[in-house]
Amino acid sequence: MGKNPKVVQREEVVVKFAGDSGDGMQLTGSQFSDASAFIGNDLSTFPDYPSEIRAPQGTVAGVSGFQVHIGHKEVTTPGDQADVLVAMNPAALKANMKWVKPGATIIIDIDNFDNKHYKKAGYVEDPLHDDSLDGYNVVKAPITNLTRDTVKPYGFDPKTADKTRNQFVAGMLYWLFNRDIKLGEDFLNDKFKSKPNIVKANTAVLHAGYNYAETIEALSTTFLVDPVKNKKGLFRNMTGNLATAWGLLAAAERAGLELFLGSYPITPATEILQEIAKRKHLGAVAFQAEDEIAGITSAIGASFAGRLAVTSTSGPGLALKGEALGLAVITELPLVVVNVQRGGPSTGLPTKTEQSDLMQALYGRSGESPLIVIAASTPANCFHYAFEAARLSLEHMTPVILLTDSYLANGSELWKIPNTEDLPEIHPPLVKDNDENYQPYRRDPEKMNRYWAIPGQEGLRHRIGGLEKEDVTGNVSHDPMNHQVMVTKRKEKVEKVADDIPELEVIGEQTGDLLVIGWGGTYGGLVSAVTDLQKEGVSISLAQFNYIHPLPRNTEKVLAGFKKRIVCEINMGQFVSHLRSLYQHLGFRQYNKVQGLPFFISELKAKFMSVIEEQQPGETKNS
Amino acid sequence: MAEVIKDIGTLTKKDFKLDTSVKWCAGCGAHSVLSSIQSTLPETGIKKEDVVTVSGIGCSSRFPYYIDTYGFHSLHGRASAIASGIKVANPNLSVWVMTGDGDSMAIGGNHFIHIIRRNINVNIILFNNKIYGLTKGQYSPTTPKGSITKTSPEGTIENPFQPGELTMGAQGTFFARVVDSDPKMMKDVFLQAAEHKGTSVVEVLLNCVIFANEVHKDITGKDVREDHQILLKHGEPMIFGKERNKGIRYSCNRLEVVTIGENGITEEDLMVHDATNPDDSMHYNLVRMGLPEYPVAMGVIRAAESTVFESMMHEQVNHARAETKIKTVNDLLHSGNTFRIDD
């Protein structure tokens, strides 16, 4: 005790927690995030876990991780590489060495670094005795043994005792980041409210970790990250899935409707269903359907009956919903489909991120079936775009697909809490009872939406369905010209939504050498890379699309302002294909990655510089 | 012109008729189902605006276009799921699913068993003609084994479903069977289906004049129907036959057809139908009765009480609303862990 550590002030720090799926790394990560938010750091988090619930212990396949990026400066991504890595076993070390910065602090549980664990992790050489850790500050902490000693008085079996090891780690980090350990105690008190013995044991371990870190020589430098600049107000730490669920609840309230969610559990969208299931006190109903098809069709039924109807899913589920989406298109009922994208095709990489459902969202139905497609771009703005999806759906009487992805859904960031009274009111085109002018396919002359007459209303009985309907009257019609008219009207209705969405914003100058184009969840990486290069004097700007169909009115103008354009996506080039088909006179480069991982800022910057520097004949004008 | 809103008590069959032309084949059994539903609805005591008919795809599923209620002609097999959404969204509505043997037993089998398992209070009218009609004559999941159809030129090699068995296997609380040629039986059973709290399944043995003509004739034929059908009524002994002298007895763990007056059998020996028994074992036995050993059971075979999904859902909603401190989304946004960041 009583050493005087050197305190280093840092603009930002990235911490990665890694261990077995059952080691509680997600909890320790959230605890560290909450403590960071409490003292006013900006933050962005990303959990990284296998699709198996408890893969074989000690294997690389079973490693679960949680990365936190905290900052005095604003942070927009969970960070490329970690300044501090916590590795609870050799597998966690092996899986994460490539995500660690040179010179980083690596805290390992030395009690798990033995031959048995090396073998499981697939190490041939002992990593502590070859040169693979040279240049890192390796802290060999006997976490398991010290934890077991600490909880001895509580009479836990070894398995239960080991579950508290994550608090030893938490304690070490409180010391390493110069934080008040009381925050950690409060977290535990709140988390295990009803289990006083568990609170006591965990608190003891938390202190043991803190005291250990304070004592050992290996931790001679501590970090201090001051509260974030330029962010003031009341915040909360939000994941994308939670923000999506709350955005839908807010939209229901602002529309004066009750929320109905028809959904089937699917990774990584399930938390939306779980969250809505908890919100009966706000009048919301979560209907856990027997399959993806019943998820969407029950929602269509609820929409017909006058609810704000939503279904949530991921890629394979969206494929199953395709037929029903066509029904929602032709019946022109409001419906929000949330698709939390994951690696595909098929079961693919269920817990990893990808943006490969864009084409499916735009075109994955039979017939001419246009609908609105929008995408959220940060964990917290899932709230805004879920609200927008509901607003556009209700006011324009059309299904809307909201695209998020695993990275946004599970990642978190600080979100400035809005006042719901500042959100726009939503006005669905409802009809008064006994309205003599009501006909199922009479339309609003401006927006071209049909009107919403709801079963139970007097004097508005009508029939809708999947068969083509006669314009205005809604009678079944197989007339050739009528079909042409109806197909055209459904298309125009969706295209007119462009009048009701904001223009595309450009981050940086409106003209220049290179326009970086992204959509949805790549925003954090792209904006960091672009603003870094802007600071270095590079002529580069970013256009991040949230409205995919229809596109903002000024899209072409923005795109045309640059000598070169590069479309960056976590897929093989779906948005770039879409843009090429719409703007055939403009040239587009593309940058694609499909590794189940987000873009890293370093790789983006390198790519952008190489594009700017490349000289090809004829590239002086718009390429 | 605005229509005159009638009081519930004054509604008649005419109020549920539309002036559009009905496009089923002449002689199709669906015409008489439509007519029976139209004469049933005025007697249910339900407001005309509160009735919703929902269908899937198939000949029978054109039904909503022919009746003056709110209607939804949906997707093949999905009517039960759409109806679930409608009923859970607004339990005040009277929801009627019109479906066929292909629609509900094949492509919609999953939704069919799950709406029944949840016991959502809708009425499912299953038009069972044992054939795919709208696609012109392929075998369905209820087609008798060995039948020659367009997709079984050497005869089907599949075991058919009994809708009643499937209903009870899914813990159904109401199952009835009627024939399309008996409007009185249909109306009587449809009314009981409407009154039942929970999913009511009514199997209509329906004739397809084009692709499976007379498929039910051994049951429905004028000359045989009294001997080949037994109309079950709750609380009454199981008697049937032209002479009203045949009955069903339960003996040695199985059902048995007996004749009153033979071998000392009296009415006292016959089973009394108990539709409300929560234990469905006997209802299973009754549903499975078939020619030639047994008559085919008609009427309400099972009508048992159980909890109703949407009622419980809304009880939970009301309870949560009463208990919570979080009354608005704004309360929610400001609840739990929030962090104030100041200068």
Coordinates of all heavy atoms in Angstrom, one line a residue, chain A residues 34 37-38 231-233 235-236 246 253 258 279-281 283 288 290-291 293 297-298 301 324 419-420 454 456-458 460-466 469, chain B residues 3 48-50 64-65 67-73 75 78 81-82 85-86 110-111 114 118 314 316 321 326 329-330 332-333 335 337-341 343:
Chain A
D34 N -20.8 1.9 -17.2 CA -21.7 2.7 -16.3 C -20.9 3.7 -15.5 O -21.2 4.8 -15.3 CB -22.6 1.9 -15.5 CG -23.8 1.4 -16.2 OD1 -23.9 1.7 -17.4 OD2 -24.7 0.8 -15.6
A37 N -19.6 6.5 -17.6 CA -20.7 7.4 -17.9 C -21.0 8.3 -16.7 O -21.2 9.5 -16.8 CB -21.9 6.7 -18.3
F38 N -20.9 7.6 -15.5 CA -21.2 8.3 -14.3 C -20.3 9.5 -14.0 O -20.7 10.6 -13.6 CB -21.2 7.4 -13.1 CG -21.8 8.0 -11.8 CD1 -23.1 8.0 -11.6 CD2 -20.9 8.6 -10.9 CE1 -23.6 8.6 -10.4 CE2 -21.4 9.2 -9.7 CZ -22.7 9.2 -9.5
K231 N -20.3 17.9 -24.5 CA -21.5 17.2 -24.3 C -22.0 17.6 -22.9 O -21.3 17.4 -21.9 CB -21.3 15.6 -24.3 CG -21.4 15.0 -25.7 CD -21.5 13.5 -25.6 CE -21.7 12.9 -27.0 NZ -21.7 11.5 -27.1
K232 N -23.2 18.1 -22.9 CA -23.8 18.6 -21.6 C -25.2 18.1 -21.6 O -25.9 18.1 -22.6 CB -23.8 20.1 -21.5 CG -22.4 20.8 -21.7 CD -21.7 20.8 -20.4 CE -20.3 21.4 -20.6 NZ -19.3 20.3 -21.2
G233 N -25.7 17.8 -20.4 CA -27.1 17.4 -20.2 C -27.3 16.1 -19.6 O -26.3 15.5 -18.9
F235 N -27.9 12.2 -19.8 CA -27.6 11.1 -20.7 C -27.9 9.7 -20.1 O -28.1 9.6 -18.9 CB -26.1 11.1 -21.0 CG -25.6 12.2 -21.9 CD1 -25.4 13.5 -21.3 CD2 -25.5 12.1 -23.2 CE1 -25.0 14.6 -22.0 CE2 -25.1 13.2 -24.0 CZ -24.9 14.4 -23.4
R236 N -28.0 8.7 -21.0 CA -28.0 7.4 -20.5 C -27.3 6.5 -21.5 O -27.1 6.9 -22.7 CB -29.4 6.8 -20.3 CG -30.4 6.8 -21.4 CD -31.8 6.4 -21.0 NE -31.8 5.2 -20.2 CZ -32.5 5.0 -19.1 NH1 -33.3 5.9 -18.7 NH2 -32.4 3.9 -18.5
W246 N -37.6 1.5 -27.6 CA -38.1 2.7 -27.0 C -38.6 3.7 -28.0 O -39.5 4.4 -27.8 CB -37.0 3.3 -26.1 CG -36.9 2.6 -24.8 CD1 -37.3 1.3 -24.5 CD2 -36.2 3.0 -23.6 NE1 -37.0 0.9 -23.2 CE2 -36.3 1.9 -22.7 CE3 -35.5 4.2 -23.2 CZ2 -35.7 2.0 -21.4 CZ3 -34.9 4.2 -22.0 CH2 -35.0 3.2 -21.0
E253 N -47.0 6.4 -28.6 CA -47.5 7.4 -27.8 C -47.8 8.7 -28.5 O -48.9 9.3 -28.4 CB -46.6 7.7 -26.6 CG -47.2 8.5 -25.5 CD -46.2 8.7 -24.3 OE1 -46.1 7.8 -23.5 OE2 -45.4 9.7 -24.3
E258 N -51.8 2.2 -29.5 CA -51.0 1.3 -28.7 C -50.2 0.4 -29.6 O -50.5 0.1 -30.8 CB -52.0 0.4 -27.9 CG -52.6 1.2 -26.7 CD -53.7 0.6 -26.0 OE1 -54.4 -0.3 -26.6 OE2 -54.0 1.0 -24.9
R279 N -43.1 -4.0 -21.4 CA -43.8 -2.6 -21.4 C -45.3 -2.6 -21.5 O -45.9 -1.8 -22.1 CB -43.1 -1.8 -22.5 CG -41.6 -1.6 -22.4 CD -41.3 -0.9 -21.1 NE -39.8 -1.1 -20.8 CZ -39.3 -0.9 -19.5 NH1 -40.1 -0.7 -18.5 NH2 -38.0 -1.1 -19.3
K280 N -45.9 -3.7 -20.9 CA -47.3 -3.7 -20.8 C -47.9 -2.5 -20.1 O -49.0 -2.0 -20.4 CB -47.8 -5.0 -20.2 CG -47.6 -6.2 -21.0 CD -48.4 -7.4 -20.4 CE -48.0 -8.7 -21.1 NZ -46.7 -9.2 -20.7
H281 N -47.1 -2.0 -19.2 CA -47.6 -0.8 -18.4 C -47.7 0.4 -19.3 O -48.3 1.4 -18.9 CB -46.6 -0.5 -17.2 CG -45.2 -0.2 -17.6 ND1 -44.8 1.0 -17.9 CD2 -44.2 -1.0 -17.8 CE1 -43.5 1.0 -18.2 NE2 -43.1 -0.3 -18.2
G283 N -49.1 0.0 -22.2 CA -50.2 -0.5 -23.2 C -49.7 -1.3 -24.3 O -50.4 -1.7 -25.2
Q288 N -45.5 -13.2 -28.9 CA -44.4 -14.1 -29.3 C -45.0 -15.2 -30.2 O -45.7 -16.1 -29.7 CB -43.6 -14.7 -28.2 CG -42.5 -15.6 -28.7 CD -41.6 -16.1 -27.5 OE1 -41.3 -15.4 -26.6 NE2 -41.3 -17.4 -27.6
E290 N -45.5 -18.2 -33.3 CA -45.0 -19.5 -33.5 C -43.9 -19.6 -34.6 O -43.1 -20.5 -34.6 CB -46.1 -20.5 -33.9 CG -46.9 -20.1 -35.1 CD -48.1 -19.2 -34.8 OE1 -48.1 -18.6 -33.7 OE2 -49.1 -19.2 -35.6
D291 N -43.8 -18.6 -35.4 CA -42.7 -18.5 -36.4 C -42.6 -17.1 -36.9 O -43.4 -16.2 -36.6 CB -42.9 -19.6 -37.5 CG -44.3 -19.5 -38.2 OD1 -44.8 -18.3 -38.3 OD2 -44.8 -20.5 -38.7
I293 N -43.3 -16.0 -39.8 CA -44.4 -15.7 -40.7 C -45.6 -15.2 -39.8 O -46.3 -14.2 -40.1 CB -44.8 -16.9 -41.6 CG1 -43.7 -17.2 -42.5 CG2 -46.1 -16.6 -42.3 CD1 -43.8 -18.5 -43.2
T297 N -47.6 -11.7 -39.8 CA -49.0 -11.7 -40.2 C -49.8 -11.3 -39.0 O -50.9 -10.6 -39.2 CB -49.4 -13.0 -40.8 OG1 -48.9 -14.1 -40.0 CG2 -48.9 -13.2 -42.2
S298 N -49.4 -11.7 -37.8 CA -50.2 -11.2 -36.6 C -50.1 -9.7 -36.5 O -51.1 -9.0 -36.2 CB -49.7 -11.8 -35.3 OG -48.4 -11.5 -35.1
G301 N -52.5 -8.2 -39.0 CA -53.8 -8.2 -38.4 C -54.0 -7.1 -37.4 O -55.1 -6.4 -37.4
A324 N -45.5 -12.0 -46.8 CA -46.5 -11.2 -46.0 C -46.2 -9.7 -46.2 O -47.1 -8.8 -46.2 CB -46.4 -11.5 -44.5
N419 N -37.0 15.0 -24.5 CA -38.3 15.1 -23.9 C -39.3 14.6 -24.9 O -39.3 15.2 -26.0 CB -38.5 16.5 -23.4 CG -39.6 16.6 -22.4 OD1 -40.6 15.9 -22.5 ND2 -39.4 17.4 -21.4
T420 N -40.1 13.7 -24.6 CA -41.0 13.2 -25.7 C -42.0 14.3 -26.2 O -42.4 14.2 -27.3 CB -41.9 12.0 -25.2 OG1 -42.5 12.4 -23.9 CG2 -41.0 10.8 -25.0
I454 N -61.1 1.4 -39.5 CA -60.7 0.4 -38.6 C -62.0 -0.4 -38.1 O -63.0 0.1 -37.7 CB -60.0 1.0 -37.3 CG1 -58.7 1.5 -37.9 CG2 -59.8 0.0 -36.2 CD1 -58.0 2.5 -37.0
G456 N -64.9 -2.1 -36.3 CA -65.5 -1.6 -35.1 C -66.1 -0.2 -35.4 O -67.0 0.2 -34.7
Q457 N -65.5 0.5 -36.4 CA -66.1 1.8 -36.8 C -67.4 1.6 -37.5 O -67.4 0.8 -38.4 CB -65.1 2.6 -37.6 CG -63.9 3.2 -36.8 CD -63.1 4.2 -37.7 OE1 -62.3 3.8 -38.5 NE2 -63.5 5.5 -37.5
E458 N -68.3 2.5 -37.2 CA -69.6 2.4 -37.9 C -69.6 2.9 -39.3 O -68.9 3.9 -39.6 CB -70.7 3.2 -37.1 CG -71.2 2.4 -35.9 CD -72.3 3.1 -35.2 OE1 -72.7 4.2 -35.6 OE2 -72.8 2.6 -34.2
L460 N -68.2 1.9 -42.1 CA -67.0 1.9 -42.9 C -66.6 0.5 -43.3 O -65.4 0.3 -43.7 CB -65.8 2.6 -42.2 CG -66.0 4.1 -41.7 CD1 -64.9 4.5 -40.9 CD2 -66.2 5.0 -42.9
R461 N -67.5 -0.4 -43.2 CA -67.2 -1.8 -43.5 C -66.6 -1.9 -44.9 O -67.1 -1.3 -45.9 CB -68.4 -2.7 -43.4 CG -68.9 -2.9 -42.0 CD -70.1 -3.8 -42.0 NE -71.0 -3.5 -43.0 CZ -71.9 -2.4 -42.9 NH1 -71.8 -1.6 -41.8 NH2 -72.7 -2.1 -43.9
H462 N -65.5 -2.6 -45.1 CA -64.9 -2.8 -46.4 C -64.0 -4.1 -46.3 O -63.8 -4.6 -45.2 CB -64.0 -1.6 -46.7 CG -62.8 -1.4 -45.8 ND1 -63.0 -0.9 -44.5 CD2 -61.5 -1.8 -45.9 CE1 -61.8 -0.9 -43.9 NE2 -60.9 -1.4 -44.7
R463 N -63.6 -4.5 -47.5 CA -62.8 -5.7 -47.6 C -61.5 -5.4 -48.3 O -61.5 -4.7 -49.3 CB -63.6 -6.8 -48.3 CG -64.7 -7.4 -47.5 CD -66.0 -7.5 -48.3 NE -66.6 -6.3 -48.7 CZ -67.4 -5.6 -47.9 NH1 -67.7 -6.0 -46.7 NH2 -67.9 -4.4 -48.3
I464 N -60.4 -5.9 -47.7 CA -59.1 -5.8 -48.3 C -58.5 -7.1 -48.5 O -59.0 -8.1 -47.9 CB -58.1 -4.8 -47.5 CG1 -57.9 -5.3 -46.1 CG2 -58.6 -3.4 -47.6 CD1 -56.9 -4.6 -45.4
G465 N -57.4 -7.2 -49.2 CA -56.8 -8.5 -49.4 C -55.7 -8.5 -50.4 O -55.3 -7.5 -50.9
G466 N -55.2 -9.7 -50.6 CA -54.0 -9.8 -51.5 C -54.3 -9.7 -53.0 O -53.4 -9.6 -53.8
K469 N -56.8 -4.8 -56.4 CA -58.1 -4.1 -56.2 C -58.3 -3.0 -57.2 O -57.3 -2.4 -57.7 CB -58.1 -3.5 -54.8 CG -58.0 -4.5 -53.7 CD -59.2 -5.5 -53.7 CE -59.2 -6.4 -52.5 NZ -58.1 -7.4 -52.6
Chain B
E3 N -75.4 5.1 -44.4 CA -76.4 4.1 -44.1 C -77.0 4.3 -42.8 O -76.5 5.0 -41.9 CB -75.7 2.7 -44.2 CG -74.8 2.4 -42.9 CD -74.4 1.0 -42.9 OE1 -75.1 0.2 -43.5 OE2 -73.4 0.7 -42.3
K48 N -72.9 -5.2 -36.1 CA -72.5 -5.5 -37.4 C -71.0 -5.0 -37.7 O -70.2 -5.7 -38.3 CB -73.4 -4.8 -38.4 CG -73.3 -5.3 -39.8 CD -74.4 -4.6 -40.6 CE -74.1 -4.8 -42.1 NZ -75.2 -4.1 -42.9
E49 N -70.7 -3.9 -37.1 CA -69.4 -3.3 -37.3 C -68.3 -4.0 -36.6 O -67.1 -3.8 -36.8 CB -69.4 -1.8 -36.8 CG -69.9 -0.9 -37.8 CD -71.5 -1.0 -37.9 OE1 -72.1 -1.4 -36.9 OE2 -72.0 -0.6 -38.9
D50 N -68.7 -4.9 -35.6 CA -67.7 -5.6 -34.8 C -67.4 -7.0 -35.4 O -66.6 -7.7 -34.8 CB -68.2 -5.8 -33.4 CG -68.1 -4.4 -32.6 OD1 -67.4 -3.5 -33.1 OD2 -68.8 -4.3 -31.6
P64 N -64.8 -13.6 -47.6 CA -64.9 -12.2 -47.1 C -65.5 -11.3 -48.1 O -66.1 -10.3 -47.8 CB -63.5 -11.8 -46.6 CG -62.9 -13.1 -46.3 CD -63.4 -14.1 -47.3
Y65 N -65.2 -11.6 -49.4 CA -65.7 -10.7 -50.5 C -67.2 -10.8 -50.7 O -67.8 -10.0 -51.4 CB -65.0 -11.0 -51.8 CG -63.5 -10.7 -51.8 CD1 -62.6 -11.7 -52.2 CD2 -63.1 -9.4 -51.5 CE1 -61.3 -11.4 -52.2 CE2 -61.7 -9.2 -51.5 CZ -60.8 -10.2 -51.9 OH -59.5 -9.9 -51.9
I67 N -69.6 -11.2 -48.1 CA -70.4 -10.9 -46.9 C -70.1 -9.5 -46.4 O -69.0 -9.0 -46.5 CB -70.1 -11.9 -45.8 CG1 -71.0 -11.7 -44.6 CG2 -68.6 -11.8 -45.3 CD1 -71.0 -12.9 -43.6
D68 N -71.2 -8.8 -46.0 CA -71.1 -7.4 -45.7 C -70.6 -7.2 -44.2 O -71.3 -6.8 -43.3 CB -72.4 -6.7 -45.9 CG -72.3 -5.1 -45.8 OD1 -71.1 -4.7 -45.7 OD2 -73.3 -4.4 -45.9
T69 N -69.3 -7.5 -44.0 CA -68.6 -7.2 -42.7 C -67.3 -6.6 -43.1 O -66.9 -6.5 -44.2 CB -68.4 -8.5 -41.9 OG1 -67.5 -9.3 -42.7 CG2 -69.7 -9.3 -41.7
Y70 N -66.5 -6.2 -42.1 CA -65.1 -6.0 -42.3 C -64.5 -7.3 -42.8 O -64.8 -8.3 -42.2 CB -64.4 -5.5 -41.1 CG -64.7 -4.0 -40.8 CD1 -65.7 -3.6 -39.9 CD2 -64.0 -3.0 -41.4 CE1 -66.0 -2.3 -39.7 CE2 -64.2 -1.6 -41.2 CZ -65.2 -1.3 -40.3 OH -65.5 0.0 -40.1
G71 N -63.6 -7.3 -43.8 CA -63.1 -8.5 -44.3 C -61.6 -8.4 -44.7 O -61.2 -7.4 -45.1
F72 N -60.9 -9.5 -44.6 CA -59.5 -9.6 -44.9 C -59.2 -10.9 -45.6 O -59.3 -11.9 -45.0 CB -58.6 -9.4 -43.7 CG -57.2 -8.9 -43.9 CD1 -56.6 -8.1 -43.0 CD2 -56.6 -9.2 -45.1 CE1 -55.3 -7.7 -43.2 CE2 -55.3 -8.7 -45.4 CZ -54.6 -8.0 -44.4
H73 N -59.0 -10.8 -46.9 CA -58.6 -12.0 -47.7 C -57.1 -12.0 -47.7 O -56.5 -11.2 -48.4 CB -59.2 -11.8 -49.1 CG -58.8 -12.9 -50.1 ND1 -58.4 -12.6 -51.4 CD2 -58.7 -14.2 -50.0 CE1 -58.1 -13.7 -52.0 NE2 -58.3 -14.7 -51.2
L75 N -53.2 -14.4 -46.9 CA -52.3 -15.2 -47.6 C -52.6 -16.7 -47.4 O -53.2 -17.0 -46.4 CB -50.9 -14.9 -47.1 CG -50.3 -13.5 -47.2 CD1 -49.0 -13.4 -46.4 CD2 -50.1 -13.2 -48.7
R78 N -52.3 -18.3 -43.8 CA -52.0 -17.4 -42.7 C -53.2 -16.7 -42.0 O -53.0 -15.9 -41.1 CB -51.1 -16.2 -43.2 CG -50.0 -16.6 -44.1 CD -49.0 -17.6 -43.5 NE -48.1 -18.2 -44.5 CZ -47.6 -19.4 -44.4 NH1 -47.8 -20.2 -43.4 NH2 -46.7 -19.8 -45.4
A81 N -53.2 -16.7 -38.2 CA -52.2 -15.8 -37.6 C -52.7 -14.3 -37.7 O -52.5 -13.5 -36.8 CB -50.8 -16.0 -38.3
I82 N -53.2 -14.0 -38.9 CA -53.8 -12.6 -39.0 C -54.9 -12.4 -38.0 O -55.0 -11.4 -37.4 CB -54.2 -12.4 -40.5 CG1 -52.9 -12.3 -41.3 CG2 -55.0 -11.1 -40.6 CD1 -53.0 -11.8 -42.7
G85 N -53.7 -11.7 -34.6 CA -53.3 -10.3 -34.4 C -54.5 -9.4 -34.3 O -54.5 -8.5 -33.4
I86 N -55.6 -9.6 -35.1 CA -56.8 -8.7 -35.0 C -57.4 -8.9 -33.6 O -57.8 -7.9 -33.0 CB -57.8 -9.1 -36.1 CG1 -57.2 -8.8 -37.5 CG2 -59.1 -8.5 -35.9 CD1 -58.0 -9.4 -38.7
N110 N -49.2 -24.9 -39.1 CA -48.5 -24.4 -37.9 C -49.4 -23.4 -37.2 O -49.6 -23.4 -36.0 CB -47.1 -23.8 -38.2 CG -46.2 -23.8 -37.0 OD1 -46.3 -24.6 -36.1 ND2 -45.3 -22.8 -37.0
H111 N -49.9 -22.4 -38.0 CA -50.7 -21.4 -37.4 C -52.0 -22.0 -36.8 O -52.5 -21.5 -35.8 CB -51.1 -20.3 -38.4 CG -49.9 -19.8 -39.1 ND1 -48.7 -19.4 -38.5 CD2 -49.6 -19.8 -40.5 CE1 -47.8 -19.1 -39.4 NE2 -48.3 -19.3 -40.6
H114 N -51.3 -23.5 -33.4 CA -50.9 -22.6 -32.4 C -52.0 -21.6 -31.9 O -52.1 -21.2 -30.8 CB -49.7 -21.8 -32.8 CG -48.4 -22.7 -32.7 ND1 -47.8 -22.9 -31.5 CD2 -47.8 -23.4 -33.6 CE1 -46.8 -23.7 -31.7 NE2 -46.8 -24.1 -33.0
R118 N -53.3 -21.6 -28.0 CA -53.4 -20.4 -27.2 C -54.8 -20.1 -26.8 O -55.1 -19.3 -25.9 CB -52.9 -19.2 -28.0 CG -51.4 -19.2 -28.4 CD -51.0 -17.9 -29.0 NE -49.6 -18.0 -29.4 CZ -49.1 -18.2 -30.6 NH1 -49.9 -18.2 -31.6 NH2 -47.8 -18.2 -30.8
H314 N -54.7 -8.9 -21.8 CA -55.2 -7.6 -21.4 C -55.4 -7.5 -19.9 O -55.2 -6.4 -19.4 CB -56.5 -7.3 -22.2 CG -56.2 -7.0 -23.7 ND1 -55.8 -5.8 -24.1 CD2 -56.1 -7.8 -24.7 CE1 -55.5 -5.8 -25.4 NE2 -55.7 -7.1 -25.8
Q316 N -53.1 -8.7 -17.9 CA -51.7 -8.4 -17.6 C -51.5 -6.9 -17.9 O -50.8 -6.2 -17.1 CB -50.8 -9.3 -18.3 CG -50.7 -10.7 -17.8 CD -49.6 -11.5 -18.4 OE1 -49.0 -11.1 -19.4 NE2 -49.4 -12.7 -17.9
R321 N -50.5 -1.5 -15.9 CA -50.8 -0.1 -15.9 C -51.2 0.4 -14.5 O -50.8 1.5 -14.2 CB -52.0 0.1 -16.9 CG -51.5 0.2 -18.3 CD -52.7 0.6 -19.2 NE -52.2 1.4 -20.3 CZ -52.8 1.4 -21.5 NH1 -53.9 0.8 -21.7 NH2 -52.2 2.1 -22.5
I326 N -44.2 4.2 -13.9 CA -43.8 4.7 -15.3 C -45.0 4.7 -16.2 O -45.4 3.7 -16.8 CB -42.7 3.8 -15.8 CG1 -41.5 3.8 -14.9 CG2 -42.3 4.2 -17.2 CD1 -40.4 2.8 -15.3
V329 N -43.9 7.4 -21.8 CA -42.5 7.1 -22.4 C -41.5 8.0 -21.8 O -40.4 7.6 -21.5 CB -42.6 7.1 -23.9 CG1 -41.2 6.9 -24.5 CG2 -43.5 6.0 -24.4
N330 N -41.9 9.2 -21.5 CA -41.0 10.2 -20.9 C -40.5 9.7 -19.5 O -39.3 9.8 -19.2 CB -41.7 11.5 -20.7 CG -40.7 12.7 -21.0 OD1 -39.8 12.5 -21.8 ND2 -40.9 13.8 -20.4
L332 N -40.2 6.6 -18.7 CA -39.3 5.5 -19.0 C -37.9 6.0 -19.4 O -36.9 5.5 -18.9 CB -39.9 4.7 -20.2 CG -39.1 3.5 -20.7 CD1 -39.0 2.4 -19.6 CD2 -39.7 2.9 -22.0
L333 N -37.9 7.0 -20.2 CA -36.6 7.5 -20.7 C -35.8 8.1 -19.5 O -34.6 8.0 -19.5 CB -36.8 8.7 -21.7 CG -37.5 8.4 -23.0 CD1 -37.4 9.5 -24.0 CD2 -37.1 7.1 -23.6
S335 N -36.0 6.9 -16.4 CA -35.9 6.0 -15.3 C -34.6 5.3 -15.2 O -33.8 5.3 -16.2 CB -37.0 4.9 -15.5 OG -36.7 4.1 -16.6
N337 N -30.7 4.2 -14.7 CA -29.4 4.8 -14.7 C -29.3 6.0 -15.7 O -29.3 5.7 -16.9 CB -28.3 3.8 -15.0 CG -27.8 3.0 -13.8 OD1 -28.2 3.3 -12.7 ND2 -27.1 2.0 -14.0
T338 N -29.3 7.2 -15.2 CA -29.0 8.3 -16.1 C -27.8 9.1 -15.5 O -27.5 8.9 -14.3 CB -30.2 9.3 -16.1 OG1 -30.5 9.7 -14.8 CG2 -31.5 8.6 -16.6
F339 N -27.2 9.8 -16.4 CA -25.9 10.5 -16.0 C -26.0 11.9 -16.4 O -26.2 12.2 -17.6 CB -24.7 9.8 -16.7 CG -24.7 8.3 -16.6 CD1 -25.2 7.6 -17.7 CD2 -24.3 7.7 -15.5 CE1 -25.2 6.2 -17.7 CE2 -24.4 6.3 -15.4 CZ -24.8 5.5 -16.5
R340 N -25.8 12.8 -15.5 CA -25.8 14.2 -15.8 C -24.3 14.7 -16.1 O -23.5 14.4 -15.2 CB -26.4 15.1 -14.7 CG -26.5 16.6 -15.1 CD -27.5 17.4 -14.3 NE -28.9 17.0 -14.6 CZ -29.6 17.3 -15.6 NH1 -29.1 18.0 -16.6 NH2 -30.9 16.9 -15.7
I341 N -24.1 15.2 -17.2 CA -22.7 15.7 -17.6 C -22.8 17.2 -17.6 O -23.6 17.8 -18.4 CB -22.2 15.1 -18.9 CG1 -22.2 13.6 -18.8 CG2 -20.9 15.7 -19.2 CD1 -21.8 12.9 -20.1
D343 N -20.6 21.2 -16.9 CA -19.3 21.8 -17.2 C -18.2 21.3 -16.3 O -18.5 21.0 -15.1 CB -19.4 23.3 -17.0 CG -20.4 23.9 -18.0 OD1 -20.1 24.0 -19.2 OD2 -21.6 24.2 -17.6

